[in-house]
Amino acid sequence: MAGKWFPAAQLTSSGRPVFVTGEVESTLLSSVDLECEENSHVPLLKSGVLILTTHRLLWINETNTSSSAAAVAIPLGTVTHIFPPKKSMKHMFASPRVRFQVSTSVDGMVIENGQKSMVLTLVLRGSKSDLDSFYSRFWEVWRGRSWEVLSLASSESTSMEGSSVVKTTVVGVSGILRREQEMWESTDKTLQDAFQDLNALMSKAKEMVMLAEKMRLKLLSGPASEPKANDEEMTSKQEMQDWLLSVGIASPVTKESAGALYHQQLSRQLADFVKLPLERAGGMIALIDIYCLFNRARGTELISPEDLLRACAIWEKFDVPVMLRKFDSGVMVIQNKSHSDEEVFGRIKSLVSKPDALRTGISPSDAAMTLGIAPAMAKEHLLTAESKGLLCRDISPEGFRFFINLFKEIDLNDIYS
């Protein structure tokens, strides 16, 4: 029903919104209702997460992400007026409300430059919702009109090139003052040009980050059962994945923008981010490696190890394809839910069954080369296989050596044979 009145918003597999080019989130609020008092046919959207970005108002239903009204978007270009909040005694004891007017089509669909209009109301039912702070940010983002700023750097830079100024020679004190004024004007123009170039560079950087994000999603959505390509294609794909990882996250979740929903939204963004590193690592990667990669992608918005642990722990409440795992030794890793230990054990068993391994055993480094993972991770797999009774361990000055467990094949009823 909501799709008849509001444009739909795309979500990732973890429930995070898919941003458009140059879009950056500004504020997140929980327990927000979206209603229309003028038109009773517009459905009431209750208790959702409201995300204010530089381009849209996003309302997300976290309780049922599979429904048709899971996420709706109100482009800020459709907003024609924002009403100031009321400060009467009656409204002091009610939930804070923000009313704004949007343009609609004849049928009531929210569109830009529509023939009609209607007033929508945001009811902030969250206990930590700050009405004045949200209203001021809403007003600033709407007045900024970032969705209309696409390419303005070149227009202003060429406006002064064609003009010619005839200078007259002035001597004495007035000439000194004139030259000083011209110097300040030249310095001011240089600073303006520099900031215009910087703004143009930042806008282009955002476009490149969004382009890299789309390419990363395209790589992840590729079929996993493709026939094996040649070495040159695999190398180019690996280089492309390394480059995409170094670009970064377009709109990282911050405590300032998310507020009380910081760890929840950070958990969803992290679940989207780890897909590519997990694919490269074979379905399992150490938590410390993800910490380094995630912080590098976030740029200056770094997170603490405690925030990363809390974000990973929240995955149990969401329907995401990744999980946090802790080995008996205390090493923590992130792995796909589809990751199978039995498949890893089968590859280890085939490795230790080779003639050379039967004589000398294998080390974590040998297993790491076979499995294509780090030696520390390979050691954890070997220890887990030992606890399952598949391997035996020999500790020597050279380190750990693992052998196939032949004791399981001994028949206790005929032990001497």
Side-chain angles (χ1 to χ4, degrees):
M1 289 295 293
K4 180 181 178 182
W5 309 96
F6 305 104
Q10 294 183 352
L11 300 178
T12 63
S13 59
S14 65
R16 285 280 298 169
V18 178
F19 297 113
V20 299
T21 303
E23 185 178 16
V24 178
E25 63 183 67
S26 176
T27 305
L28 286 88
L29 296 176
S30 61
S31 302
V32 177
D33 298 348
L34 178 61
E35 60 183 29
C36 179
E37 300 176 357
E38 298 179 347
N39 190 348
S40 59
H41 297 288
V42 178
L44 172 62
L45 305 178
K46 298 190 64 176
S47 298
V49 174
L50 182 73
I51 301 179
L52 172 64
T53 72
T54 54
H55 292 57
R56 298 176 294 174
L57 271 173
L58 302 172
W59 185 92
I60 302 175
N61 182 7
E62 287 195 322
T63 59
N64 188 9
T65 56
S66 61
S67 64
S68 58
V72 298
I74 302 176
L76 295 184
T78 63
V79 179
T80 58
H81 184 69
I82 302 176
F83 300 93
K86 298 180 180 180
K87 298 292 185 179
S88 62
M89 184 66 68
K90 175 183 177 181
H91 292 85
M92 290 180 61
F93 300 97
S95 298
R97 294 171 178 262
V98 177
R99 300 171 64 248
F100 59 98
Q101 189 177 25
V102 295
S103 62
T104 63
S105 62
V106 178
D107 299 332
M109 182 70 176
V110 176
I111 60 172
E112 293 190 29
N113 302 322
Q115 301 177 0
K116 293 186 176 182
S117 64
M118 67 177 177
V119 177
L120 299 176
T121 304
L122 297 173
V123 184
L124 313 181
R125 301 189 183 278
S127 59
K128 297 184 179 181
S129 299
D130 188 349
L131 175 62
D132 295 332
S133 176
F134 174 75
Y135 173 76
S136 62
R137 287 202 178 191
F138 189 13
W139 180 265
E140 291 173 1
V141 170
W142 179 60
R143 289 292 299 270
R145 310 190 76 82
S146 298
W147 61 92
E148 295 180 353
V149 181
L150 297 177
S151 57
L152 298 178
S154 58
S155 60
E156 296 183 2
S157 61
T158 57
S159 60
M160 298 296 294
E161 293 179 358
S163 61
S164 60
V165 180
V166 178
K167 297 183 180 180
T168 59
T169 304
V170 182
V171 297
V173 177
S174 59
I176 296 175
L177 295 176
R178 176 67 177 271
R179 285 194 298 271
E180 185 176 355
Q181 180 67 24
E182 290 178 355
M183 183 184 66
W184 281 110
E185 290 178 357
S186 176
T187 304
D188 184 63
K189 184 179 181 300
T190 303
L191 289 175
Q192 288 182 0
D193 293 342
F195 278 110
Q196 287 175 2
D197 295 339
L198 181 61
N199 291 331
L201 177 61
M202 292 177 64
S203 63
K204 290 297 181 182
K206 290 180 180 178
E207 293 179 8
M208 292 301 297
V209 170
M210 295 302 299
L211 176 62
E213 185 71 13
K214 292 180 181 179
M215 295 174 66
R216 185 181 72 87
L217 294 176
K218 186 176 181 180
L219 282 176
L220 291 176
S221 61
S225 58
E226 291 182 352
K228 293 185 177 179
N230 53 40
D231 294 340
E232 184 177 354
E233 292 179 355
M234 294 299 295
T235 303
S236 62
K237 183 178 180 181
Q238 182 72 22
E239 292 177 353
M240 177 63 69
Q241 290 178 347
D242 293 338
W243 179 76
L244 292 178
L245 279 176
S246 64
V247 169
I249 300 174
S251 181
V253 175
T254 62
K255 291 183 179 180
E256 181 182 2
S257 63
L261 300 177
Y262 171 65
H263 290 99
Q264 180 189 112
Q265 295 299 319
L266 181 67
S267 176
R268 294 182 182 275
Q269 190 173 66
L270 180 61
D272 292 331
F273 175 80
V274 298
K275 291 180 181 179
L276 186 58
L278 282 176
E279 181 185 2
R280 296 177 55 204
M284 180 181 293
I285 189 170
L287 188 63
I288 185 62
D289 294 337
I290 285 294
Y291 177 74
C292 297
L293 292 174
F294 193 52
N295 265 337
R296 186 181 69 175
R298 289 175 62 88
T300 58
E301 302 293 343
L302 304 180
I303 64 172
S304 65
E306 291 77 10
D307 290 337
L308 182 69
L309 281 176
R310 290 188 61 180
C312 294
I314 301 177
W315 282 342
E316 299 178 357
K317 302 178 182 179
F318 302 143
D319 185 18
V320 293
V322 293
M323 59 177 291
L324 179 66
R325 177 180 177 182
K326 186 176 182 179
F327 286 99
D328 295 336
S329 61
V331 175
M332 288 185 287
V333 299
I334 294 176
Q335 70 175 40
N336 289 322
K337 289 184 177 179
S338 59
H339 180 79
S340 175
D341 285 343
E342 299 300 328
E343 179 181 354
V344 177
F345 293 160
R347 297 174 64 182
I348 292 177
K349 189 174 181 179
S350 63
L351 177 63
V352 297
S353 300
K354 294 181 179 180
D356 294 339
L358 290 175
R359 292 192 302 269
T360 61
I362 62 172
S363 66
S365 299
D366 299 331
M369 295 178 61
T370 301
L371 300 176
I373 57 178
M377 295 291 300
K379 182 179 178 181
E380 296 298 330
H381 283 302
L382 293 175
L383 292 175
T384 304
E386 180 196 16
S387 64
K388 299 292 183 180
L390 300 177
L391 302 177
C392 292
R393 181 190 356 163
D394 179 38
I395 303 177
S396 65
E398 299 178 355
F400 287 4
R401 305 292 296 185
F402 292 86
F403 298 83
I404 190 171
N405 185 11
L406 299 177
F407 294 99
K408 296 180 63 176
E409 302 178 6
I410 297 176
D411 187 2
L412 296 180
N413 297 325
D414 191 13
I415 189 171
Y416 295 102
S417 63

